[in-house]
Amino acid sequence: MTRARQSAGDLLRQWRQQRRFSQLALALDAGISQRHLSFLESGRSAPSRAMLLRLADHLDMPLEARNALLLAAGFAPIFPQHDLADAELTAAREIIDRILAGHAPHPALAVDRHWTLLSANAAIEVLTAGVAEHLLVGEVNVLRLGLHPEGLAPRIVNFAEWRRHLLRRLARDVALSADPALAALLKELDSYPAPIAVDMSPNPEPPETVVAVPLIITSPHGPLTFLSTTTVFGTATDVTLAGIAIESFFPANGQTADAMATLAGSVEDAPSGPRE
């Protein structure tokens, strides 16, 4: 049975179990009786739209899943979904472009909820140098780009640590979204080989000084070390916009900052998308 054919009660039960709530715990959080929730899940009671949205909010369901829940109960979806190129998302698109351009000379990129590359500044070439051409055409998945044996992986000094970090992050995305496409991506990436990386830094810092997992890559300028941040539209009510994240890489030491400043002269400060 596909999700589209499930009843609203089926979907409520599925998401409650996904979030590891008991009926009692969810009922208490939502301010209803356990009996009422049980009747909603079994189909003995028909939920109102307001009740569905209340429960969806307590279950922290993605906007797309909330629309599916409403449709399953016979209500019209309330969260729009536009393409990023549509006029309705012009302001958001301009914000993304400004963030990417303003982050130069350091790499920054925007991805959708499936980690497909939407846009990037020109400094991203520091990360994609030497990557196999077939990974850079069509829809470019940045996680695949980072962990594929023909991608960035051979250049990542701390590959075992970085791989573990990305897989754990993707696993969290799968748990939160219950998205089968993300689950398939996780399975694919987990199947890639995990070579043992050699620490090329002359004086590696002791573990207690590490405050975040860095990305350390080789380059003609020596090892480059970045810390990353993630920016999202926290008040998004559009399905597409809610799934967009901007990943920005900051130099974690003076050597990396100097190298990126040196490279800035040959890097255009303009957003660019995946190659056709």
Side-chain angles (χ1 to χ4, degrees):
M1 180 178 293
T2 64
R3 182 176 298 181
R5 296 174 183 172
Q6 290 178 297
S7 69
D10 290 334
L11 289 175
L12 282 175
R13 182 171 56 255
Q14 173 184 306
W15 279 97
R16 176 178 60 77
Q17 294 171 344
Q18 179 77 17
R19 294 293 187 257
R20 299 183 179 181
F21 273 111
S22 66
Q23 278 190 342
L24 179 59
L26 178 57
L28 289 174
D29 277 359
I32 63 175
S33 69
Q34 181 181 358
R35 178 184 176 87
H36 188 190
L37 178 57
S38 176
F39 278 21
L40 292 176
E41 289 188 358
S42 67
R44 295 178 65 182
S45 292
S48 66
R49 189 177 77 162
M51 176 58 68
L52 290 174
L53 292 174
R54 184 198 304 185
L55 291 170
D57 190 52
H58 284 281
L59 289 170
D60 194 23
M61 292 171 60
L63 299 187
E64 186 176 35
R66 300 185 193 206
N67 278 344
L69 181 64
L70 291 171
L71 282 170
F75 299 107
I78 65 172
F79 300 103
Q81 182 170 7
H82 297 97
D83 187 87
L84 186 57
D86 290 348
E88 288 82 357
L89 295 185
T90 296
R93 190 169 60 250
E94 290 175 349
I95 290 171
I96 294 170
D97 289 345
R98 282 200 295 270
I99 293 174
L100 297 182
H103 194 62
H106 311 303
L109 53 91
V111 296
D112 66 15
R113 61 192 177 94
H114 292 136
W115 290 88
T116 302
L117 181 64
L118 300 174
S119 186
N121 64 16
I124 202 67
E125 292 180 8
V126 172
L127 303 181
T128 59
V131 168
E133 184 69 20
H134 69 88
L135 295 173
L136 295 172
V137 296
E139 289 193 349
V140 177
N141 186 281
V142 299
L143 294 187
R144 182 179 295 115
L145 196 66
L147 297 184
H148 195 281
E150 296 180 275
L152 184 59
R155 293 179 54 210
I156 300 177
V157 177
N158 59 330
F159 182 69
E161 180 184 33
W162 186 250
R163 177 181 184 273
R164 183 166 55 250
H165 161 69
L166 289 187
L167 291 180
R168 286 177 176 173
R169 182 171 176 183
L170 181 55
R172 287 196 297 270
D173 287 349
V174 172
L176 288 173
S177 67
D179 189 319
L182 286 179
L185 179 62
L186 177 60
K187 183 177 180 180
E188 175 194 337
L189 300 184
D190 194 38
S191 71
Y192 291 167
I196 299 175
V198 178
D199 189 349
M200 297 177 59
S201 58
N203 295 298
E205 294 184 340
E208 59 268 20
T209 66
V210 177
V211 296
V213 177
L215 171 63
I216 309 174
I217 62 171
T218 61
S219 82
H221 298 268
L224 302 179
T225 304
F226 297 97
L227 295 179
S228 64
T229 64
T230 302
T231 303
V232 298
F233 289 87
T235 57
T237 57
D238 179 274
V239 173
T240 298
L241 191 60
I244 293 176
I246 301 172
E247 300 288 327
S248 305
F249 294 86
F250 292 83
N253 54 37
Q255 175 188 332
T256 302
D258 291 343
M260 296 307 299
T262 300
L263 291 169
S266 60
V267 174
E268 294 182 1
D269 183 13
S272 61
R275 302 178 192 175
E276 297 297 334

